[in-house]
Amino acid sequence: MRTLRTDAEQDGAAALVQDRQRWLTMRGLSVLTRAQEAEGDERAEHFTQVLDHAAENTPLAQPAAA
């Protein structure tokens, strides 16, 4: 992702986002808001922490005796 430096770049990006959102909506697909995206990021981070904690507390399987 790159920084939008001029008003024209920002306006163009905003128009593109609105166009993509309209396209998704017309096809019955959900459009995430920034708040929903942030909530998803928080959920993903929490899930990762839960998995890491479970991995730390789960003994590794021992190889089967031959």
Side-chain angles (χ1 to χ4, degrees):
M1 200 174 341
R2 66 182 184 88
T3 303
L4 303 175
R5 300 190 195 300
T6 66
D7 289 342
E9 287 179 323
Q10 292 174 356
D11 291 344
L16 181 61
V17 168
Q18 289 174 347
D19 181 61
R20 297 303 180 237
Q21 288 174 336
R22 186 173 33 259
W23 188 91
L24 290 168
T25 301
M26 288 174 52
R27 286 155 180 79
L29 302 170
S30 66
V31 177
L32 293 179
T33 64
R34 287 185 184 211
Q36 290 170 322
E37 289 175 359
E39 182 180 312
D41 291 345
E42 289 174 13
R43 286 183 183 174
E45 177 62 27
H46 174 72
F47 186 65
T48 300
Q49 290 173 356
V50 168
L51 289 176
D52 288 345
H53 181 70
E56 291 170 0
N57 294 310
T58 304
L60 297 175
Q62 296 299 317

